[in-house]
Amino acid sequence: MPISKLNRLAVLALLSLLNACGTNSYGATLPYDAWRLGFFAPNYMEVWIETANVIDINDRIFRRAMSGVAAVGSPPNLRGNPKGWPKKPGDGKGKHVFGADLPQLIYVRWQSLAEPQTYEAFIEIPDAMRQKMLEGGNTYCKASKFWLMDHRNNVAIGLAPGGIAKTWIMGTCLDAIEVSRVQGTVAPKGPYEGYSNGLYRDLDPEAKAYIDKFGIPFDSW
């Protein structure tokens, strides 16, 4: 029986004391070797992911399934547009979550370097979306110009200033399906769980120049 949401939150709060199980046989139930967890941010709105932890449908915990930088564009000469989300989002920068079954809950804590501020969010993957992750299809891929069997085994999460986390599932060639838009909360301990004395990583010069000139379009995400 799946654990309650309250218990899941309690488990996630104690993840720093637990070890993720990196090898198991649950992934063998999937029609692919692993699903992928990726992150991206709007142009210039750089993000540093402190941790992304996963609970799969068997209530197994995968700590730090992803961490580090999210994919972000910084077009030269301030020509990029960070407003809103792309109609066809990419799968972001990420990792395959080997050994996991389908995800039921993802916890992410990240630094929005554009502000700067540290946020955390709990992202539930509904059963209907998990079923979509299992459905395959013989799809024509425009990029390769081949027909292939594809699945929506990519979970892509866009992280934006203000603590917004928007999630899609997509395949290599199958179109993205929106899962949810979650409003995160400010992480009470600040960056690096309080171990950096409130200090953040520096913005890329191009990102800093854009934000200094145009600001942050908070209401667009």
Side-chain angles (χ1 to χ4, degrees):
M1 179 179 298
I3 58 179
S4 69
K5 183 175 181 180
L6 180 61
N7 286 339
R8 290 202 302 269
L9 300 186
V11 168
L12 286 165
L14 295 173
L15 279 175
S16 61
L17 303 178
L18 300 174
N19 291 319
C21 298
T23 58
N24 60 64
S25 61
Y26 288 118
T29 67
L30 302 176
Y32 33 79
D33 292 336
W35 57 272
R36 184 179 183 275
L37 178 62
F39 293 88
F40 67 94
N43 283 344
Y44 308 111
M45 304 294 134
E46 294 180 349
V47 162
W48 177 261
I49 301 160
E50 293 189 353
T51 189
N53 307 322
V54 173
I55 294 180
D56 75 2
I57 57 173
N58 297 293
D59 296 334
R60 296 175 65 88
I61 301 168
F62 294 79
R63 183 173 177 265
R64 291 179 68 82
M66 174 57 185
S67 61
V69 296
V72 62
S74 295
N77 302 317
L78 310 184
R79 293 177 180 174
N81 182 6
K83 295 180 180 179
W85 299 107
K87 293 182 178 179
K88 294 185 177 180
D91 54 6
K93 185 172 182 179
K95 296 179 181 178
H96 285 85
V97 189
F98 286 103
D101 212 314
L102 296 173
Q104 63 168 314
L105 185 68
I106 299 169
Y107 166 80
V108 57
R109 187 176 68 250
W110 77 98
Q111 298 174 19
S112 174
L113 300 178
E115 301 175 67
Q117 186 63 269
T118 304
Y119 298 99
E120 59 184 359
F122 297 90
I123 301 165
E124 295 194 57
I125 309 298
D127 182 64
M129 292 295 105
R130 292 196 295 267
Q131 293 303 313
K132 292 290 186 183
M133 292 178 70
L134 295 176
E135 296 172 2
N138 195 28
T139 305
Y140 181 74
C141 195
K142 293 181 180 179
S144 64
K145 298 183 179 179
F146 286 106
W147 286 85
L148 52 82
M149 177 59 69
D150 198 10
H151 293 85
R152 289 186 174 90
N153 59 340
N154 293 310
V155 177
I157 301 175
L159 300 174
I164 303 301
K166 191 163 184 177
T167 304
W168 296 261
I169 57 172
M170 65 189 71
T172 302
C173 299
L174 289 172
D175 290 340
I177 298 175
E178 183 178 331
V179 176
S180 67
R181 178 185 182 277
V182 173
Q183 174 64 64
T185 58
V186 174
K189 294 183 180 180
Y192 303 106
E193 291 282 75
Y195 288 104
S196 69
N197 295 319
L199 298 178
Y200 287 85
R201 296 166 60 92
D202 292 333
L203 276 172
D204 177 85
E206 197 75 24
K208 185 177 186 304
Y210 183 94
I211 293 167
D212 287 346
K213 183 173 183 178
F214 298 107
I216 300 172
F218 284 103
D219 295 333
S220 68
W221 300 298

